Amino acid sequence: MTKLSVNINKIATLRNSRGGNIPDVVKAAIDAQNFGADGITVHPRPDERHIRRKDVFDIRPIIRTEFNIEGYPSRQFIDLVKSVKPHQVTLVPDPPEAITSNAGWDTITHLSFLQDVIAEFKEAGIRTSIFIDTNPDFILSAVNTNTDRVELYTEPYATLFPINPEKAVAPFVEAANIANKAGLKVNAGHDLNLQNLKYFNEHIPFLKEVSIGHALIADALYLGLERTINLYKEQLIK
Ligand code: PXP
């Protein structure tokens, strides 16, 4: 089965809107795992507008599945990740002020930067993944960064899916095949939801992991976190 990593940033956003500790992000991470999540993802940003540095340290000891920290590899981020030692770090190219990640890496232009950063994480024993578009040249160049995985940026898939699912998934199938043949494992994320997830997963048989936040937390408002996680997991049965 493809693993479901639940991104709990939106829970922190809700907490931060009021001050105090409701909802409790550590409890949310514990509960999400008890309800069947295969991993927890956080994206600490420099302005701490959702997940804070302290949250990352507080969550680490309660992880019994897989901890994935995503973010732009600034010096501060690299040091944070190395001291927390998650199972996986996912590198995104977005600037600190971006509302959400909105593009993958240009792995050609940033090849030597990514090589250096990835070498540092690997030396620390942390698996790496890089957020990437379906451009075959970028996938091929990703191989030279020595990353373990790529995370395909699925926003374009999610946008086109309601109009033309076949056309929407085609570039992702091609990109995933190129990555797989080159020995890279494939993750995916962004705007995946209960409508588009099953189809995506069915077309990429070796998909390892999806990381889902916004839609899943929004669904949980209506369905509850436990039922929502179970429904997402059902979409991921191969
Ligand atoms: N993957 C990455 C790299 C992201 O930045 C995000 C958003 O934080 C996601 C996956 C999850 O996207 P969504 O919140 O749309 O499910």
Side-chain angles (χ1 to χ4, degrees), residues 7 9-10 43 45 70 90 92 100-101 131 151 189-192 211-215:
N7 180 321
N9 266 37
K10 283 280 144 63
H43 189 149
R45 289 182 185 271
E70 51 179 49
T90 300
V92 297
T100 181
S101 306
F131 198 48
E151 180 182 323
H190 226 286
D191 292 306
L192 293 173
S211 147
I212 307 182
H214 187 76

Side-chain angles (χ1 to χ4, degrees), residues 52-146:
R52 300 175 181 140
R53 270 179 79 80
K54 181 177 181 311
D55 295 327
V56 183
F57 287 100
D58 289 348
I59 290 166
R60 182 67 185 96
I62 60 85
I63 295 289
R64 54 175 184 75
T65 56
E66 185 192 283
F67 197 22
N68 175 45
I69 306 181
E70 51 179 49
Y72 178 81
S74 62
R75 188 69 252 164
Q76 195 193 27
F77 176 84
I78 294 170
D79 291 342
L80 170 68
V81 173
K82 281 171 68 182
S83 57
V84 173
K85 285 204 188 306
H87 303 88
Q88 175 175 271
V89 61
T90 300
L91 306 178
V92 297
D94 50 295
E97 66 279 5
I99 291 177
T100 181
S101 306
N102 52 14
W105 284 97
D106 172 344
T107 53
I108 298 169
T109 307
H110 301 288
L111 180 61
S112 74
F113 173 67
L114 287 168
Q115 282 172 333
D116 290 349
V117 169
I118 285 165
E120 193 171 340
F121 283 126
K122 288 199 147 182
E123 206 170 299
I126 300 166
R127 190 174 80 217
T128 60
S129 179
I130 58 176
F131 198 48
I132 196 162
D133 300 306
T134 54
N135 181 332
D137 293 336
F138 291 164
I139 306 274
L140 287 170
S141 188
V143 179
N144 298 327
T145 66
N146 295 319

Side-chain angles (χ1 to χ4, degrees), residues 151-164:
E151 180 182 323
L152 298 176
Y153 170 45
T154 46
E155 195 265 346
Y157 163 74
T159 305
L160 191 55
F161 175 81
I163 304 156
N164 189 338

